[in-house]
Amino acid sequence: MIDADAGVPDADIKLHIQQLNFLAGVSTAEAVELLANSVQEVYLYDRQVLCEQDQPIHAVWLILEGRISQFRRQQDAQGKPRQSLARECGPGTLIGAYDFLFTTTYRTRASALETCRLLKIEARALSRLIFRFPNVREQLAPLGLIGRLRTFPLLGAVELVGLGFLADALTGAEHKEGEVLYHKGDSVDQIYLLSQGQVELRWNRENIDWVGNGTFLGLAHHAGGAPVVNVEHDCIVSIKAEIYAAPRSTFMSITGLRPDDSGLELIAQRIELIRGLSIFSKFKAVQKQQLAGFFSHNCYPANHLLIQQNEAADSFWVLMPGSGAIIHALDKDGRNMPDTPVTGMTYFAETALLGQIPQDSTVEAEAGSQWLRLHWHDFYYMDEVDPADLRAELQIPSVVQPVLMGKEARRRYPWLQPGETVAYFSRRHWIAFIIKNFLTLIFMGLVVVFGIVGYAMPGQQIWVIFMVIVLLLLATLALIWGILDYRNDWLVVTNRRVVNQEKLLFVHVWRKEAPLEQIQSIDFIRTFIGRWLGYGTLIVRTAGTAGEIAFNFTTDFTRLRTVIRGQQEQRRRHATAQSKMNIHRRLEQRLGLMVDPPSRVARAEPPPSLQPQGWRSRLAGREGLGIRWQEGNHIVWRKHWMALLPQIGWTWLAPFFIITLALGSWAIYTRLVPTDFEAAAYGVQWFLALFALLFTGRLIWVVIDWYNDTYEVSDTEVVNLRKLPFGLTEDRRAAPLARIQNVEMRIPSPLHWLFDYGTVVIQTAAEFGSLIFYSVPNPRAVADEILGRMEKERKRQEEEEARQRAQDLPDWFEMYNRLEQGGAGERVKNNSPAKT
């Protein structure tokens, strides 16, 4: 190696530093200070060795010109020579950077393939640079991609330096649904790594495999080490996917792996495991194959916490055969119970597919273990697109199973959010039905008595029979109306909120909702008759100024209160467990043990169901006039066009005056008006013109005023914006989503029901008062959107609070370890025998 910088002035070091491609964000002055006398330009002749494998790291090199060959020679388990980590590098490549970051010795032998010019950076200076600018690590190596590659099952045995080489060779791309990656019979020279998404492998018309995250694609049976293979299946993207690709020859030379047979065997093994799981025993064979495409296959290189006790797990986990895990648990007094080691195949947290149900134990993955993961969101996605009700088909023996879930729950309660389940359902006591329909029942009794009396009268009383039939028919219709009215009023407790609906068919709808976190008290008022018959009034109070849900004629108050308190406790326990999990993640990140593969296969929501079209949709105002639109994360609503009518009032006469003015002008122009009345006609014209101008101005003012008023919801707040025309005044009232206590939706009249608009009342904490969205289109959807955003904001705040609580813990542990180590050294020193 020849040093080309001998005798070169120090000022020229700036030119070398500017060529280093990992110093973005570091000023030239600071770089010169930290790397002074540590960066040199060097030359290599053809076949000259740059570094030897297993030698201590002393420098890192940036190739400026030429090509360098790297490889590692070692012996396999049978003692045969084996070569790996082999690659050729050109200009712009850093030699030794991955060794510097991940090991203490060079993992490969590097030599020149031709005359090369390089920049040599001493390792000690690079260490000082990273100490001063920790972000330089991310610029030296694609650490995020390397971390993702560590979790691919087939790459679990590849060392980090090799994963770094592979990361340099990969090219990533997003593929849309329906895109064909390759066809059956194609010659494929690439290995594809499915990082996130789903594809279909179509072997023939009857045999289709769906695969998800962590799968290798572009494989063929018995391909060996061939650089090009003829694939035996079509590969079609079924859910938007992120896929990495590398040449087969490059992949095999770097990793030393031949992935074809092992990769296809893993796909078949996953499908076979899922077919044999008892919780999916009621699924059809094709449903199980499709379900396999929603599982992520991950390998955890170090021990990793998957489930925290009392956490409402978000995924169903399957431990693969040959892998291990450790189960931890605390007893009811908070004492540690003995750890239990388990081996695959087994599964955990199956209740995550039902809803937000706390888990009884902590599950920790052992280093090197492989897992299948089904996120509840992915199961929900498949449940939405599959005609069957998959949640109802799950075989989960659980005493905490929701009373109503899946598509049946969503059909009965369209307002349910994804992942929300019904924990309790209550209608009013039967006495409420009697009271509401008392007059109808009395009327039916009188009609029956009238019929009996008429029938007992001598002779044929046809008119009596006719009247009885007509009256009974009317009474029956009234009774049916009363039954529907009774059945449309209910109280529902879900795993997120309490919902009360009062509905009179075709007349009005009223729905009030309170999140579980905002409920302050649950009271019950009972009269003497109510105590005797077993009913009373349930009152659920929040902190809002008018935050109260009152449901009279309630039955089984004790059960209802227990369910609400139980769901609140589950939410609280989940938040505490999630905080512990966040602390664990922060410590993993601090210690460099963090692995975070994608948890979901489908990143988007399921395809939306079709909105009703035709006259109802047009009357409802869902088409045209721009009464709902989205701006980034903001959703904006304008008042329904029906709200214009009462505001317009008498200004509708403006077109009449304009038409009259036009007709009068035409009459004068055509001399239809006698000359003697022409002056009077002109006076009337001016009078009409003044009124037309006045009325038109008023009409324009009303329309602009309607157009300017908007209601908005973002990820953090709800906004009621009122603006007078021409920017005269602006009144903006906003309230954070986190301070909302409850949401009330009203469709107050048949006219509102026909045109599908109404009022949404948002009760907040006392300092914000209430925000009222008047005359919004589709008020059910508006209320659901606000509640959905509230749930997301609540989770975000919980995570942020846990992150803040965990922020200082790693520093405390680090300082404690340093003090402990220092104290241990001092004790050794004090206890060592004195020299004589």
Side-chain angles (χ1 to χ4, degrees):
M1 186 184 302
I2 299 176
D3 182 359
D5 274 350
V8 176
D10 292 342
D12 290 345
I13 200 69
K14 293 182 179 180
L15 178 62
H16 297 328
I17 290 176
Q18 290 173 357
Q19 293 175 294
L20 298 178
N21 52 11
F22 55 84
L23 293 179
V26 180
S27 68
T28 303
E30 289 176 305
V32 168
E33 179 184 352
L34 293 168
L35 300 178
N37 303 319
S38 300
V39 179
Q40 300 173 356
E41 187 174 306
V42 299
Y43 286 90
L44 283 182
Y45 294 125
D46 185 16
R47 298 186 182 180
Q48 189 174 1
V49 176
L50 183 64
C51 62
E52 290 285 356
Q53 72 178 46
D54 299 326
Q55 294 297 311
I57 297 170
H58 66 277
V60 172
W61 296 270
L62 174 67
I63 302 176
L64 301 177
E65 297 176 3
R67 292 182 302 128
I68 299 287
S69 170
Q70 290 184 267
F71 62 88
R72 177 175 178 82
R73 283 200 181 100
Q74 56 190 17
Q75 293 182 341
D76 60 17
Q78 288 75 34
K80 297 180 180 180
R82 174 176 172 268
Q83 182 172 296
S84 62
L85 305 182
R87 67 170 182 171
E88 291 185 7
C89 311
T93 305
L94 281 167
I95 304 297
Y98 297 122
D99 310 86
F100 172 78
L101 290 173
F102 302 134
T103 67
T104 58
T105 60
Y106 294 112
R107 303 299 295 160
T108 63
R109 183 178 190 268
S111 58
L113 296 173
E114 58 191 30
T115 302
C116 298
R117 184 167 67 93
L118 309 96
L119 280 183
K120 176 184 175 182
I121 308 103
E122 292 184 6
R124 288 177 296 179
L126 197 55
S127 296
R128 292 196 302 269
L129 179 70
I130 289 177
F131 176 79
R132 176 69 179 81
F133 299 99
N135 292 336
V136 168
R137 288 189 183 93
E138 299 286 345
Q139 294 156 200
L140 277 171
L143 298 180
L145 178 55
I146 293 172
R148 176 66 183 108
L149 293 177
R150 292 180 73 192
T151 62
F152 275 81
L154 286 181
L155 298 177
V158 180
E159 58 180 287
L160 288 173
V161 173
L163 295 180
F165 289 179
L166 181 59
D168 289 341
L170 290 174
T171 56
E174 290 280 350
H175 296 266
K176 298 179 180 179
E177 182 177 343
E179 190 172 336
V180 178
L181 207 60
Y182 51 80
H183 287 288
K184 183 176 182 179
D186 285 351
S187 296
V188 176
D189 61 355
Q190 301 277 318
I191 293 289
Y192 298 96
L193 285 72
L194 177 55
S195 179
Q196 186 172 17
Q198 186 188 94
V199 302
E200 297 178 18
L201 306 181
R202 296 185 181 178
W203 303 89
N204 51 54
R205 289 185 178 180
E206 293 78 24
N207 189 5
I208 301 176
D209 292 334
W210 284 264
V211 296
N213 303 351
T215 304
F216 275 54
L217 307 171
L219 310 179
H221 289 98
H222 313 301
V228 180
V229 298
N230 293 323
V231 291
E232 304 152 319
H233 55 267
D234 296 327
C235 183
I236 304 170
V237 177
S238 50
I239 292 177
K240 182 181 177 182
E242 181 184 16
I243 301 176
Y244 295 98
R248 290 178 60 89
S249 56
T250 301
F251 177 89
M252 289 184 287
S253 63
I254 291 175
T255 63
L257 301 174
R258 297 179 179 180
D260 293 87
D261 290 333
S262 55
L264 292 173
E265 183 180 346
L266 272 182
I267 293 173
Q269 183 187 24
R270 288 201 302 260
I271 295 174
E272 194 61 31
L273 279 176
I274 294 167
R275 283 175 177 168
L277 292 175
S278 59
I279 68 169
F280 304 127
S281 59
K282 287 192 174 183
F283 286 30
K284 299 177 182 177
V286 67
Q287 289 175 329
K288 293 178 182 179
Q289 281 189 288
Q290 290 175 334
L291 186 63
F294 288 94
F295 276 87
S296 301
H297 191 178
N298 299 322
C299 173
Y300 292 97
N303 281 36
H304 185 73
L305 204 61
L306 303 180
I307 303 167
Q308 175 67 43
Q309 185 175 359
N310 292 326
E311 177 194 19
D314 61 8
S315 300
F316 167 56
W317 297 88
V318 180
L319 179 61
M320 297 286 285
S323 295
I326 304 171
I327 299 177
H328 313 278
L330 301 175
D331 62 17
K332 61 181 180 179
D333 297 321
R335 294 188 296 264
N336 279 318
M337 301 174 68
D339 294 342
T340 304
V342 294
T343 56
M345 195 282 306
T346 187
Y347 56 83
F348 306 93
E350 61 272 24
T351 55
L353 304 181
L354 298 178
Q356 199 171 35
I357 300 173
Q359 303 301 308
D360 297 326
S361 303
T362 297
V363 179
E364 181 181 2
E366 290 186 341
S369 60
Q370 294 188 26
W371 295 78
L372 298 180
R373 178 180 190 176
L374 177 60
H375 197 280
W376 74 264
H377 183 279
D378 289 325
F379 187 69
Y380 171 78
Y381 187 105
M382 181 177 173
D383 192 23
E384 284 294 291
V385 299
D386 193 283
D389 191 351
L390 298 183
R391 285 194 181 183
E393 298 294 320
L394 291 171
Q395 299 299 293
I396 301 178
S398 172
V399 295
V400 291
Q401 183 167 329
V403 298
L404 195 62
M405 59 187 178
K407 290 184 176 177
E408 181 184 356
R410 292 193 292 278
R411 278 193 296 266
R412 190 179 298 183
Y413 312 111
W415 43 264
L416 286 175
Q417 301 286 339
E420 188 174 12
T421 56
V422 176
Y424 192 83
F425 172 84
S426 176
R427 283 197 178 92
R428 288 191 168 95
H429 191 273
W430 57 265
I431 195 66
F433 173 78
I434 299 297
I435 294 174
K436 278 192 173 185
N437 296 275
F438 182 75
L439 295 178
T440 301
L441 295 173
I442 292 296
F443 179 73
M444 289 187 71
L446 292 176
V447 170
V448 170
V449 171
F450 176 73
I452 293 173
V453 172
Y455 182 78
M457 294 176 64
Q460 293 184 350
Q461 306 294 339
I462 297 178
W463 65 272
V464 174
I465 297 174
F466 177 77
M467 285 187 61
V468 168
I469 292 174
V470 171
L471 293 175
L472 278 178
L473 181 61
L474 293 175
T476 302
L477 291 176
L479 185 62
I480 292 173
W481 180 277
I483 293 172
L484 292 175
D485 181 36
Y486 171 76
R487 293 185 61 83
N488 282 333
D489 299 343
W490 39 252
L491 184 79
V492 165
V493 181
T494 76
N495 57 348
R496 296 182 184 176
R497 48 185 161 161
V498 175
V499 183
N500 176 211
Q501 173 177 290
E502 305 284 340
K503 179 179 179 180
L504 189 60
L505 192 62
F506 305 134
V507 177
H508 69 82
V509 180
W510 176 88
R511 194 174 80 211
K512 198 167 187 178
E513 314 177 24
L516 291 171
E517 293 80 9
Q518 305 297 346
I519 294 176
Q520 304 293 320
S521 64
I522 306 169
D523 300 323
F524 189 61
I525 300 174
R526 180 181 290 178
T527 63
F528 174 77
I529 297 178
R531 184 183 299 275
W532 184 54
L533 294 178
Y535 69 85
T537 299
L538 175 75
I539 302 176
V540 178
R541 291 189 175 91
T542 64
T545 54
E548 182 179 290
I549 294 177
F551 191 63
N552 55 7
F553 297 102
T554 307
T555 61
D556 199 4
F557 166 72
T558 303
R559 171 65 177 158
L560 192 55
R561 180 174 182 174
T562 301
V563 170
I564 295 174
R565 291 303 187 196
Q567 293 299 320
Q568 284 184 304
E569 177 63 16
Q570 285 189 12
R571 301 277 279 188
R572 188 194 63 79
R573 289 164 57 194
H574 168 68
T576 303
Q578 192 66 43
S579 177
K580 293 180 180 179
M581 184 69 82
N582 286 335
I583 292 172
H584 183 87
R585 295 286 184 264
R586 295 285 298 178
L587 289 172
E588 279 185 330
Q589 188 176 18
R590 186 66 169 263
L591 298 173
L593 303 174
M594 186 68 177
V595 287
D596 191 22
S599 60
R600 290 160 47 175
V601 169
R603 286 169 280 180
E605 297 295 330
S609 57
L610 294 177
Q611 292 287 347
Q613 301 297 322
W615 68 272
R616 179 79 194 281
S617 179
R618 286 189 290 273
L619 285 177
R622 292 174 183 164
E623 300 175 3
L625 290 181
I627 55 178
R628 182 195 184 278
W629 68 95
Q630 191 159 350
E631 299 174 351
N633 292 330
H634 284 67
I635 294 181
V636 184
W637 295 275
R638 188 173 286 120
K639 290 181 182 178
H640 194 277
W641 58 267
M642 282 290 291
L644 267 175
L645 298 183
Q647 295 182 44
I648 289 175
W650 47 264
T651 56
W652 68 269
L653 292 172
F656 170 77
F657 280 117
I658 293 173
I659 293 172
T660 305
L661 183 65
L663 290 175
S665 300
W666 175 78
I668 295 173
Y669 179 77
T670 56
R671 300 299 180 181
L672 294 178
V673 178
T675 306
D676 295 341
F677 295 96
E678 190 171 330
Y682 276 115
V684 172
Q685 286 289 89
W686 280 107
F687 183 77
L688 289 174
L690 180 62
F691 268 83
L693 183 62
L694 176 64
F695 280 41
T696 303
R698 170 62 181 170
L699 182 62
I700 293 173
W701 177 278
V702 168
V703 173
I704 295 176
D705 187 36
W706 167 83
Y707 189 86
N708 282 343
D709 295 346
T710 57
Y711 307 115
E712 304 175 16
V713 61
S714 67
D715 290 337
T716 58
E717 63 179 2
V718 290
V719 179
N720 185 344
L721 184 61
R722 299 183 61 187
K723 294 191 296 185
L724 287 178
F726 313 116
L728 294 178
T729 62
E730 180 175 321
D731 180 16
R732 185 182 189 273
R733 293 193 63 208
L737 289 173
R739 303 306 302 273
I740 295 176
Q741 303 296 313
N742 47 41
V743 178
E744 183 179 341
M745 184 276 299
R746 304 170 185 165
I747 301 178
S749 72
L751 186 66
H752 288 79
W753 175 87
L754 179 65
F755 290 92
D756 195 15
Y757 72 103
T759 300
V760 175
V761 181
I762 303 164
Q763 299 285 348
T764 67
E767 64 266 31
F768 295 100
S770 299
L771 269 68
I772 303 178
F773 290 5
Y774 291 104
S775 301
V776 287
N778 196 4
R780 300 177 184 87
V782 174
D784 293 344
E785 183 67 39
I786 294 171
L787 288 162
R789 301 262 179 147
M790 286 171 57
E791 178 68 13
K792 292 179 181 178
E793 175 64 9
R794 182 194 64 80
K795 289 183 178 179
R796 188 197 67 78
Q797 286 199 351
E798 284 181 358
E799 293 173 358
E800 179 63 21
E801 290 172 1
R803 188 193 65 79
Q804 290 178 355
R805 288 194 296 268
Q807 185 72 32
D808 296 332
L809 280 177
D811 295 329
W812 280 92
F813 282 120
E814 182 179 347
M815 295 300 105
Y816 174 82
N817 288 334
R818 288 180 182 176
L819 292 172
E820 181 68 18
Q821 292 170 3
E826 185 68 24
R827 287 191 295 272
V828 170
K829 179 180 177 181
N830 293 334
N831 294 333
S832 60
K835 294 182 179 180
T836 59

